[in-house]
Amino acid sequence: MNIILLGPPGAGKGTQARLLVERRGMVQLSTGDMLRAAKDSGTEMGKKVADVMARGDLVTDDIVIGLIEEHLRSADDDTGFIFDGFPRTLGQADALGDLLGRVGRRLDAVIAMEVNDEALVERITARSTCGNCGEVYNDITKPIPEDGKCSVCGASDFKRRSDDNEDSLKQRLLEYYKKTSPLIGYYHAKGDLHWVPGLGEIEEVASGIARVLDNL
Ligand code: AMP
């Protein structure tokens, strides 16, 4: 099964993708994570995208499509992919369709996560992640454990994303509404779109997604 998690920054795509990896053995393909890894390891491409990401703009289609293609071809997987943060433009959506066709796969569902902007600002400015395993924490809803150790891997190195600040978030939201939200109509027209309420507790949202996947 291959699915897309679609929603604005802070909608909880990464958190839900991690649960699907854990519970269904699916493979998460997050272009945001791939770009951050390229930036951290100082590759030419990483240097090129660093400023774009810090501003909250979208990286060019050719770069992210190239990353997804590379991962799709190298992943040896039978349980399916979760596209997290990709596609983000109509061009990327077309490219994904072509790419899946070429590797003999199909898209089974697009899960659109329904949230509102106030909740996004609150979630993003309170967010931190474990520097070792990527577990996501939130100062209000899921604080870092009192012993200062990640509940998943025990590491004690937590990070806040440099683009999780109000200026960059404003730009990321604008980019979402301008360039990514048209994908809702695109996938609706193809009959692939499923809305899931994204504002509840993590497990409630996970149940909403599970209901969609179990009824495909
Ligand atoms: P994310 O972790 O998905 O919030 O992505 C962080 C940043 O990486 C975004 O604000 C963009 O600058 C860039 N990015 C991630 N995925 C894409 C994509 N599919 N297309 C263009 N830029 C992307």
Side-chain angles (χ1 to χ4, degrees):
M1 186 187 296
N2 302 299
I3 66 167
I4 294 172
L5 293 182
L6 185 63
K13 302 183 295 291
T15 302
Q16 294 300 326
R18 289 174 65 82
L19 288 177
L20 290 167
V21 169
E22 206 177 289
R23 296 175 182 176
R24 295 182 186 241
M26 296 174 79
V27 173
Q28 176 187 13
L29 294 182
S30 155
T31 40
D33 286 350
M34 294 171 198
L35 292 166
R36 276 185 290 280
K39 208 174 63 161
D40 291 348
S41 56
T43 64
E44 276 311 306
M45 185 269 277
K47 287 182 203 153
K48 213 163 117 185
V49 298
D51 287 346
V52 178
M53 290 174 75
R55 281 198 304 270
D57 288 334
L58 290 188
V59 169
T60 56
D61 283 358
D62 56 330
I63 291 182
V64 285
I65 292 166
L67 283 172
I68 285 286
E69 176 156 18
E70 199 181 297
H71 282 77
L72 261 187
R73 289 192 186 281
S74 61
D76 177 21
D77 171 72
D78 288 328
T79 46
F81 293 105
I82 309 155
F83 296 96
D84 160 13
F86 180 91
R88 262 174 153 103
T89 64
L90 291 168
Q92 292 177 24
D94 280 338
L96 178 62
D98 290 347
L99 205 53
L100 286 172
R102 273 188 272 137
V103 295
R105 293 177 181 271
R106 60 188 286 267
L107 185 63
D108 296 281
V110 176
I111 310 280
M113 301 177 67
E114 200 176 359
V115 285
N116 64 41
D117 287 1
E118 293 85 77
L120 299 177
V121 177
E122 207 170 273
R123 277 190 188 179
I124 284 202
T125 47
R127 169 161 84 174
S128 56
T129 54
C130 170
N132 182 47
C133 74
E135 183 69 0
V136 183
Y137 291 91
N138 179 292
D139 297 342
I140 301 149
T141 55
K142 188 183 164 191
I144 292 166
E146 274 182 14
D147 63 2
K149 292 189 175 145
C150 173
S151 54
V152 174
C153 72
S156 45
D157 163 32
F158 298 95
K159 293 183 175 160
R160 286 198 192 263
R161 273 172 52 171
S162 55
D163 59 348
D164 276 353
N165 60 69
E166 284 206 47
D167 279 349
S168 146
L169 176 58
K170 216 165 128 194
Q171 183 60 17
R172 285 156 68 199
L173 277 173
L174 261 177
E175 289 283 77
Y176 174 79
Y177 287 115
K178 269 199 299 198
K179 299 177 183 163
T180 309
S181 64
L183 297 184
I184 291 170
Y186 176 96
Y187 286 118
H188 172 70
K190 286 180 181 283
D192 293 330
L193 194 75
H194 302 265
W195 281 103
V196 166
L199 273 183
E201 297 287 317
I202 291 173
E203 285 301 334
E204 282 167 8
V205 180
S207 304
I209 294 176
R211 267 195 297 279
V212 171
L213 300 188
D214 292 342
N215 284 309
L216 283 176

